[in-house]
Amino acid sequence: MFGDPEQIAAAMRQFADMLSAPPGSGPVNWDMAKNIARHAVAAEGDPSVMEGERRQIVDALNLADLWLNEATALPSGVSNPQAWSRSEWIENTIPVWRQLCDPIAARMVETMSGTLGAAGLPAEAQAMAGPLMGMMKQMGGMMVGQQIGQAVGSLAREVIGSSDIGLPLSGNAALLPGGIAAFSEGLETPGEEIRLYLALREAAHHRLFQHVPWLRAHLLGAVEEYARGITVDVSALEEQLRGLDINNPEQLQQALSGGNLLKPEETERQKAALSRLETMLALVEGWVGTVVDGAADGKLPSSAALAETVRRRRATGGPAEQTFATLVGLELRPRRLREAAALWQALEADRGVDGRDAVWSHPDLMPTADDLDDPQGFVRGEPEFDLSGLEASLRESATEQDEDGKDDKGDGGGEKGGESA
């Protein structure tokens, strides 16, 4: 390994990144993670976006946003459409990745540094190993940062825009020419039609994220809550460390590089967070698909075929999504996408576009996982919310209060009369 000058340079660069982390910067050196991600995409080629490509994508996003005005009551969410290279996608989405990954990274670094620092030391020596423990913590942060950087770099090679995984990774609508080209491989649909369809999906996501104020915090909060329950399997870590040759960096990196160290703690709270996240992701994707289908109807002949392609791609996921699942401990897949789309379509048929989109006005109005099993039941609503029944109940209650008041007055009058006599 140390005979390859390029690998030596990469190792020295990562070690310098580790030492450059400012105090109090958190469990992960995110500058190092970002550099690793960018090196990963650059290694496979990441050309800059040409002016012609940028103009095509900006025009497609603007046209798509105009078409969406006819399909949804939510206002435009595209104010600064952009075209990104894969490196630019990494640069613009790192702040959200930091918010998502820091809870689990902090736990991993703390446990890994403690286990590494204590390995092979007698009890009396551990109390004197303060500086060593600090160094071990830095090394743990470097290892986790390297894993995060590789995961984000893998995702960057597959994504099409800023909203592929269903989370608001950026405030700007953007598409990647390289991602569009990879998506188009093997399809016989004209490139312009594919670009417009993907622009519709990107613009629809941004309408939702920007004009439903509680949605972003709800989604990211569910991810964070689930991630806080992830623990490092200390016994597995100790087992992997036992017998390792510390002079073999490749063996050490392989032992500490993956999902064997992550063990989801399946608490009831964690299961509830995962269920809530999956349901909301399905509702987001189902709404986007319904709105995009309405906007593309009569304009894009291949919209139905493209919708099915996107649906299969989203439902099955790819290697990058599996990498992220290993990293954070969960799969960001809308498992009940078809049921969610059926629910939004039923709402639109019964209440119209405005009534359908009004459901997003408050989280308490949103369908639950049980509602996905019975879309028509959600559309009809529960009988106890029948206003006529509520009015009758109020009238009956008022009558009883009047009768009670008359009885109280009669009893009071008798007592006063007795006292007077």
Side-chain angles (χ1 to χ4, degrees):
M1 177 178 179
F2 290 103
D4 188 335
E6 292 185 3
Q7 291 185 341
I8 293 175
M12 293 299 294
R13 185 168 56 245
Q14 291 180 16
F15 188 70
D17 285 339
M18 179 191 76
L19 296 180
S20 68
S25 60
V28 176
N29 184 337
W30 281 95
D31 288 336
M32 183 194 73
K34 182 170 63 177
N35 288 338
I36 290 174
R38 295 190 64 155
H39 286 309
V41 298
E44 297 190 6
D46 181 32
S48 300
V49 178
M50 305 300 292
E51 179 59 27
E53 294 174 322
R54 188 197 67 80
R55 191 181 305 111
Q56 286 179 337
I57 286 178
V58 169
D59 290 346
L61 285 168
N62 284 328
L63 179 58
D65 196 46
L66 186 64
W67 286 358
L68 287 172
N69 289 335
E70 304 173 2
T72 175
L74 296 180
S76 171
V78 177
S79 57
N80 184 24
Q82 298 179 3
W84 291 343
S85 65
R86 292 184 170 93
S87 294
E88 289 171 327
W89 180 89
I90 293 170
E91 192 78 31
N92 286 286
T93 60
I94 278 291
V96 177
W97 291 122
R98 181 170 188 166
Q99 184 177 354
L100 290 173
C101 297
D102 265 352
I104 177 59
R107 185 159 295 145
M108 287 181 66
V109 169
E110 198 64 39
T111 306
M112 289 171 65
S113 62
T115 305
L116 286 170
L121 290 177
E124 61 274 10
Q126 292 183 23
M128 304 173 59
L132 175 62
M133 295 297 289
M135 189 62 180
M136 290 298 101
K137 193 169 185 179
Q138 278 190 305
M139 290 182 64
M142 182 184 71
M143 293 174 186
V144 176
Q146 183 179 28
Q147 185 179 353
I148 291 174
Q150 290 171 346
V152 174
S154 296
L155 273 172
R157 291 196 293 268
E158 292 188 7
V159 294
I160 297 170
S162 71
S163 58
D164 284 45
I165 65 172
L167 297 176
L169 297 180
S170 171
N172 293 320
L175 293 175
L176 284 69
I180 295 175
F183 176 87
S184 303
E185 290 180 3
L187 300 180
E188 299 180 357
T189 308
E192 182 179 1
E193 193 169 340
I194 294 174
R195 186 166 54 248
L196 269 171
Y197 185 83
L198 297 175
L200 279 170
R201 289 185 51 82
E202 178 75 6
H205 274 102
H206 280 268
R207 288 199 180 213
L208 199 57
F209 291 140
Q210 292 193 25
H211 298 291
V212 179
W214 56 266
L215 182 57
R216 175 187 174 89
H218 186 90
L219 285 169
L220 297 183
V223 175
E224 291 174 10
E225 184 176 350
Y226 185 88
R228 287 191 187 99
I230 302 295
T231 61
V232 178
D233 189 346
V234 178
S235 61
L237 179 58
E238 292 176 344
E239 181 67 26
Q240 292 189 52
L241 288 175
R242 192 174 296 118
L244 280 181
D245 180 5
I246 62 174
N247 295 316
N248 187 340
E250 186 176 359
Q251 184 184 12
L252 181 63
Q253 179 180 342
Q254 183 179 1
L256 299 174
S257 65
N260 290 334
L261 304 182
L262 292 173
K263 183 179 179 180
E265 182 183 335
E266 292 294 338
T267 64
E268 291 303 318
R269 179 181 177 184
Q270 203 175 6
K271 291 178 182 178
L274 179 58
S275 176
R276 188 170 72 251
L277 175 65
E278 289 182 343
T279 299
M280 190 55 65
L281 285 173
L283 289 171
V284 168
E285 291 295 319
W287 182 88
V288 167
T290 300
V291 169
V292 168
D293 288 346
D297 186 35
K299 300 182 180 71
L300 297 179
S302 302
S303 61
L306 290 172
E308 185 61 27
T309 301
V310 169
R311 190 178 296 113
R312 291 179 180 177
R313 181 179 185 268
R314 190 74 180 91
T316 59
E321 284 196 33
Q322 295 168 10
T323 302
F324 183 75
T326 300
L327 177 65
V328 180
L330 57 89
E331 297 176 345
L332 296 176
R333 294 186 194 172
R335 299 182 184 278
R336 308 189 65 187
L337 178 55
R338 293 185 186 275
E339 292 91 334
L343 187 145
W344 291 117
Q345 292 164 7
L347 275 173
E348 181 179 343
D350 187 79
R351 306 180 189 178
V353 168
D354 291 349
R356 178 200 67 196
D357 294 347
V359 175
W360 291 103
S361 61
H362 195 279
D364 290 346
L365 299 177
M366 293 300 296
T368 64
D370 292 337
D371 293 323
L372 296 181
D373 294 326
D374 183 18
Q376 292 299 329
F378 178 81
V379 172
R380 290 192 301 268
E382 297 296 333
E384 55 263 28
F385 292 108
D386 185 359
L387 292 181
S388 61
L390 178 60
E391 291 173 357
S393 177
L394 289 175
R395 284 197 300 269
E396 182 179 350
S397 177
T399 302
E400 292 176 354
Q401 289 178 0
D402 288 343
E403 291 176 354
D404 291 342
K406 290 178 182 178
D407 292 342
D408 292 341
K409 289 179 182 179
D411 293 342
E415 292 175 1
K416 185 178 288 187
E419 293 172 359
S420 176

